[in-house]
Short mmCIF file of all heavy atoms in Angstrom, two decimals:
data_model
loop_
_atom_site.label_atom_id
_atom_site.label_comp_id
_atom_site.label_asym_id
_atom_site.label_seq_id
_atom_site.Cartn_x
_atom_site.Cartn_y
_atom_site.Cartn_z
N ILE A 33 -97.08 -210.15 -108.42
CA ILE A 33 -95.83 -209.64 -107.88
C ILE A 33 -94.70 -210.67 -108.04
O ILE A 33 -93.52 -210.30 -108.18
CB ILE A 33 -96.00 -209.24 -106.40
CG1 ILE A 33 -94.74 -208.50 -105.87
CG2 ILE A 33 -96.31 -210.42 -105.51
CD1 ILE A 33 -94.50 -207.19 -106.52
N ALA A 34 -95.10 -211.91 -108.09
CA ALA A 34 -94.09 -212.99 -108.20
C ALA A 34 -93.29 -212.85 -109.48
O ALA A 34 -92.14 -213.26 -109.56
CB ALA A 34 -94.77 -214.35 -108.15
N ASP A 35 -93.90 -212.23 -110.51
CA ASP A 35 -93.20 -212.06 -111.79
C ASP A 35 -92.03 -211.09 -111.67
O ASP A 35 -91.17 -211.05 -112.56
CB ASP A 35 -94.16 -211.54 -112.84
CG ASP A 35 -95.22 -212.56 -113.23
OD1 ASP A 35 -95.01 -213.74 -112.92
OD2 ASP A 35 -96.26 -212.14 -113.78
N TYR A 36 -91.99 -210.30 -110.59
CA TYR A 36 -90.96 -209.25 -110.49
C TYR A 36 -90.06 -209.43 -109.26
O TYR A 36 -89.41 -208.50 -108.81
CB TYR A 36 -91.63 -207.87 -110.43
CG TYR A 36 -92.63 -207.68 -111.56
CD1 TYR A 36 -93.99 -207.73 -111.33
CD2 TYR A 36 -92.16 -207.50 -112.87
CE1 TYR A 36 -94.89 -207.57 -112.37
CE2 TYR A 36 -93.06 -207.34 -113.91
CZ TYR A 36 -94.43 -207.39 -113.67
OH TYR A 36 -95.31 -207.27 -114.69
N ASN A 37 -90.04 -210.65 -108.77
CA ASN A 37 -89.23 -210.92 -107.58
C ASN A 37 -87.76 -210.58 -107.77
O ASN A 37 -87.09 -210.05 -106.88
CB ASN A 37 -89.33 -212.42 -107.20
CG ASN A 37 -90.61 -212.66 -106.42
OD1 ASN A 37 -91.21 -211.68 -105.89
ND2 ASN A 37 -91.07 -213.90 -106.34
N ALA A 38 -87.25 -210.89 -108.98
CA ALA A 38 -85.83 -210.63 -109.25
C ALA A 38 -85.53 -209.13 -109.15
O ALA A 38 -84.50 -208.71 -108.60
CB ALA A 38 -85.45 -211.15 -110.63
N LEU A 39 -86.46 -208.33 -109.71
CA LEU A 39 -86.26 -206.87 -109.66
C LEU A 39 -86.28 -206.36 -108.23
O LEU A 39 -85.42 -205.59 -107.80
CB LEU A 39 -87.36 -206.19 -110.48
CG LEU A 39 -87.34 -204.67 -110.45
CD1 LEU A 39 -86.25 -204.15 -111.40
CD2 LEU A 39 -88.68 -204.09 -110.84
N ILE A 40 -87.30 -206.83 -107.48
CA ILE A 40 -87.44 -206.37 -106.10
C ILE A 40 -86.24 -206.79 -105.26
O ILE A 40 -85.70 -206.01 -104.47
CB ILE A 40 -88.76 -206.92 -105.51
CG1 ILE A 40 -89.93 -206.25 -106.22
CG2 ILE A 40 -88.85 -206.66 -104.00
CD1 ILE A 40 -91.26 -206.96 -106.03
N SER A 41 -85.80 -208.00 -105.52
CA SER A 41 -84.63 -208.51 -104.82
C SER A 41 -83.40 -207.64 -105.14
O SER A 41 -82.62 -207.28 -104.27
CB SER A 41 -84.40 -209.96 -105.23
OG SER A 41 -83.11 -210.35 -104.91
N HIS A 42 -83.28 -207.27 -106.43
CA HIS A 42 -82.14 -206.45 -106.87
C HIS A 42 -82.13 -205.09 -106.15
O HIS A 42 -81.11 -204.65 -105.62
CB HIS A 42 -82.22 -206.24 -108.39
CG HIS A 42 -81.25 -205.23 -108.90
ND1 HIS A 42 -79.89 -205.46 -108.97
CD2 HIS A 42 -81.45 -203.95 -109.35
CE1 HIS A 42 -79.29 -204.39 -109.45
NE2 HIS A 42 -80.21 -203.45 -109.68
N VAL A 43 -83.32 -204.47 -106.11
CA VAL A 43 -83.41 -203.15 -105.46
C VAL A 43 -83.13 -203.28 -103.96
O VAL A 43 -82.42 -202.45 -103.37
CB VAL A 43 -84.81 -202.52 -105.69
CG1 VAL A 43 -84.96 -201.20 -104.92
CG2 VAL A 43 -85.04 -202.29 -107.18
N GLY A 44 -83.65 -204.33 -103.36
CA GLY A 44 -83.42 -204.57 -101.94
C GLY A 44 -81.97 -204.78 -101.62
O GLY A 44 -81.44 -204.28 -100.61
N LYS A 45 -81.27 -205.49 -102.51
CA LYS A 45 -79.84 -205.78 -102.25
C LYS A 45 -79.01 -204.50 -102.29
O LYS A 45 -77.90 -204.46 -101.76
CB LYS A 45 -79.31 -206.76 -103.32
CG LYS A 45 -79.65 -208.21 -103.02
CD LYS A 45 -79.11 -209.08 -104.16
CE LYS A 45 -79.55 -210.54 -103.95
NZ LYS A 45 -79.25 -211.36 -105.12
N LEU A 46 -79.51 -203.52 -102.93
CA LEU A 46 -78.78 -202.23 -102.97
C LEU A 46 -78.91 -201.47 -101.66
O LEU A 46 -78.39 -200.35 -101.53
CB LEU A 46 -79.32 -201.36 -104.12
CG LEU A 46 -79.10 -201.89 -105.53
CD1 LEU A 46 -79.77 -200.99 -106.55
CD2 LEU A 46 -77.61 -201.98 -105.86
N GLY A 47 -79.60 -202.07 -100.72
CA GLY A 47 -79.72 -201.45 -99.41
C GLY A 47 -80.92 -200.53 -99.27
O GLY A 47 -80.95 -199.70 -98.36
N ASN A 48 -81.86 -200.63 -100.18
CA ASN A 48 -83.01 -199.76 -100.13
C ASN A 48 -84.18 -200.41 -99.41
O ASN A 48 -84.27 -201.62 -99.28
CB ASN A 48 -83.44 -199.41 -101.57
CG ASN A 48 -82.35 -198.66 -102.29
OD1 ASN A 48 -81.87 -197.63 -101.83
ND2 ASN A 48 -81.87 -199.23 -103.40
N GLU A 49 -85.05 -199.56 -99.00
CA GLU A 49 -86.25 -200.02 -98.31
C GLU A 49 -87.35 -200.14 -99.39
O GLU A 49 -87.77 -199.12 -99.97
CB GLU A 49 -86.63 -198.95 -97.28
CG GLU A 49 -87.74 -199.32 -96.36
CD GLU A 49 -88.08 -198.14 -95.44
OE1 GLU A 49 -87.13 -197.48 -94.93
OE2 GLU A 49 -89.26 -197.85 -95.27
N VAL A 50 -87.76 -201.35 -99.68
CA VAL A 50 -88.69 -201.55 -100.79
C VAL A 50 -90.09 -201.89 -100.26
O VAL A 50 -90.23 -202.70 -99.34
CB VAL A 50 -88.22 -202.70 -101.70
CG1 VAL A 50 -89.08 -202.80 -102.96
CG2 VAL A 50 -86.77 -202.54 -102.07
N ALA A 51 -91.09 -201.24 -100.86
CA ALA A 51 -92.46 -201.58 -100.51
C ALA A 51 -93.21 -201.88 -101.83
O ALA A 51 -92.93 -201.25 -102.84
CB ALA A 51 -93.13 -200.41 -99.80
N THR A 52 -94.08 -202.85 -101.82
CA THR A 52 -94.82 -203.20 -103.05
C THR A 52 -96.30 -202.91 -102.84
O THR A 52 -96.85 -203.10 -101.77
CB THR A 52 -94.60 -204.68 -103.40
OG1 THR A 52 -95.04 -205.46 -102.27
CG2 THR A 52 -93.17 -204.98 -103.71
N HIS A 53 -96.90 -202.41 -103.91
CA HIS A 53 -98.33 -202.09 -103.89
C HIS A 53 -98.92 -202.47 -105.23
O HIS A 53 -98.24 -202.42 -106.26
CB HIS A 53 -98.56 -200.62 -103.68
CG HIS A 53 -97.91 -200.07 -102.44
ND1 HIS A 53 -98.39 -200.32 -101.17
CD2 HIS A 53 -96.79 -199.31 -102.28
CE1 HIS A 53 -97.62 -199.71 -100.28
NE2 HIS A 53 -96.64 -199.10 -100.95
N LYS A 54 -100.19 -202.75 -105.19
CA LYS A 54 -100.92 -202.96 -106.44
C LYS A 54 -101.06 -201.61 -107.14
O LYS A 54 -101.08 -200.56 -106.48
CB LYS A 54 -102.32 -203.53 -106.17
CG LYS A 54 -102.32 -204.94 -105.57
CD LYS A 54 -101.89 -206.00 -106.56
CE LYS A 54 -103.03 -206.34 -107.53
NZ LYS A 54 -102.61 -207.41 -108.47
N ILE A 55 -101.14 -201.66 -108.44
CA ILE A 55 -101.21 -200.40 -109.20
C ILE A 55 -102.42 -199.55 -108.79
O ILE A 55 -102.39 -198.33 -108.86
CB ILE A 55 -101.23 -200.72 -110.72
CG1 ILE A 55 -100.97 -199.43 -111.53
CG2 ILE A 55 -102.51 -201.35 -111.17
CD1 ILE A 55 -99.56 -199.08 -111.62
N GLY A 56 -103.46 -200.26 -108.37
CA GLY A 56 -104.69 -199.54 -107.97
C GLY A 56 -104.49 -198.68 -106.72
O GLY A 56 -105.30 -197.82 -106.41
N GLU A 57 -103.38 -198.98 -105.99
CA GLU A 57 -103.14 -198.21 -104.74
C GLU A 57 -102.26 -196.97 -104.98
O GLU A 57 -101.87 -196.31 -104.02
CB GLU A 57 -102.44 -199.12 -103.73
CG GLU A 57 -103.32 -200.29 -103.24
CD GLU A 57 -102.56 -201.22 -102.34
OE1 GLU A 57 -101.38 -201.55 -102.62
OE2 GLU A 57 -103.13 -201.62 -101.30
N LEU A 58 -101.99 -196.72 -106.26
CA LEU A 58 -101.09 -195.63 -106.59
C LEU A 58 -101.49 -194.30 -105.95
O LEU A 58 -100.68 -193.61 -105.33
CB LEU A 58 -101.04 -195.48 -108.12
CG LEU A 58 -99.85 -194.72 -108.71
CD1 LEU A 58 -98.53 -195.32 -108.28
CD2 LEU A 58 -99.93 -194.72 -110.22
N GLU A 59 -102.77 -194.01 -106.07
CA GLU A 59 -103.22 -192.71 -105.58
C GLU A 59 -103.21 -192.62 -104.06
O GLU A 59 -102.95 -191.56 -103.49
CB GLU A 59 -104.61 -192.40 -106.13
CG GLU A 59 -105.59 -193.52 -105.91
CD GLU A 59 -106.83 -193.36 -106.76
OE1 GLU A 59 -107.72 -192.65 -106.32
OE2 GLU A 59 -106.88 -193.96 -107.85
N SER A 60 -103.45 -193.74 -103.41
CA SER A 60 -103.53 -193.69 -101.94
C SER A 60 -102.18 -193.88 -101.26
O SER A 60 -101.93 -193.34 -100.19
CB SER A 60 -104.51 -194.73 -101.43
OG SER A 60 -104.10 -196.02 -101.86
N LYS A 61 -101.30 -194.67 -101.88
CA LYS A 61 -100.04 -194.99 -101.22
C LYS A 61 -98.87 -194.11 -101.64
O LYS A 61 -97.88 -194.01 -100.91
CB LYS A 61 -99.64 -196.45 -101.49
CG LYS A 61 -100.66 -197.49 -100.98
CD LYS A 61 -100.65 -197.55 -99.47
CE LYS A 61 -101.63 -198.65 -98.99
NZ LYS A 61 -101.74 -198.66 -97.52
N LEU A 62 -99.01 -193.49 -102.83
CA LEU A 62 -97.88 -192.69 -103.31
C LEU A 62 -97.85 -191.33 -102.60
O LEU A 62 -96.80 -190.91 -102.10
CB LEU A 62 -97.98 -192.50 -104.83
CG LEU A 62 -96.87 -191.64 -105.47
CD1 LEU A 62 -95.50 -192.19 -105.10
CD2 LEU A 62 -97.02 -191.62 -106.99
N ILE A 63 -98.99 -190.66 -102.62
CA ILE A 63 -99.02 -189.35 -101.98
C ILE A 63 -99.75 -189.51 -100.62
O ILE A 63 -100.93 -189.77 -100.57
CB ILE A 63 -99.78 -188.32 -102.86
CG1 ILE A 63 -99.15 -188.23 -104.25
CG2 ILE A 63 -99.79 -186.96 -102.19
CD1 ILE A 63 -97.71 -187.79 -104.29
N VAL A 64 -98.96 -189.36 -99.57
CA VAL A 64 -99.53 -189.52 -98.21
C VAL A 64 -99.34 -188.18 -97.48
O VAL A 64 -98.22 -187.64 -97.44
CB VAL A 64 -98.80 -190.65 -97.45
CG1 VAL A 64 -99.37 -190.79 -96.04
CG2 VAL A 64 -98.92 -191.95 -98.24
N ASP A 65 -100.43 -187.67 -96.93
CA ASP A 65 -100.40 -186.37 -96.24
C ASP A 65 -99.80 -185.26 -97.12
O ASP A 65 -99.05 -184.41 -96.66
CB ASP A 65 -99.60 -186.47 -94.94
CG ASP A 65 -100.25 -187.41 -93.95
OD1 ASP A 65 -101.47 -187.55 -94.04
OD2 ASP A 65 -99.53 -187.97 -93.10
N GLY A 66 -100.11 -185.36 -98.40
CA GLY A 66 -99.69 -184.30 -99.31
C GLY A 66 -98.27 -184.44 -99.81
O GLY A 66 -97.81 -183.64 -100.63
N SER A 67 -97.53 -185.46 -99.30
CA SER A 67 -96.15 -185.61 -99.74
C SER A 67 -95.95 -186.99 -100.35
O SER A 67 -96.68 -187.94 -100.05
CB SER A 67 -95.19 -185.49 -98.56
OG SER A 67 -95.35 -184.24 -97.96
#
Side-chain angles (χ1 to χ4, degrees):
Chain A
I33 188 66
D35 292 342
Y36 309 105
N37 279 342
L39 176 78
I40 293 164
S41 162
H42 170 72
V43 176
K45 279 178 185 170
L46 295 175
N48 298 303
E49 187 184 317
V50 188
T52 58
H53 304 285
K54 295 289 282 181
I55 193 81
E57 294 175 317
L58 199 56
E59 51 195 275
S60 59
K61 299 290 183 185
L62 178 54
I63 304 298
V64 179
D65 296 333
S67 301

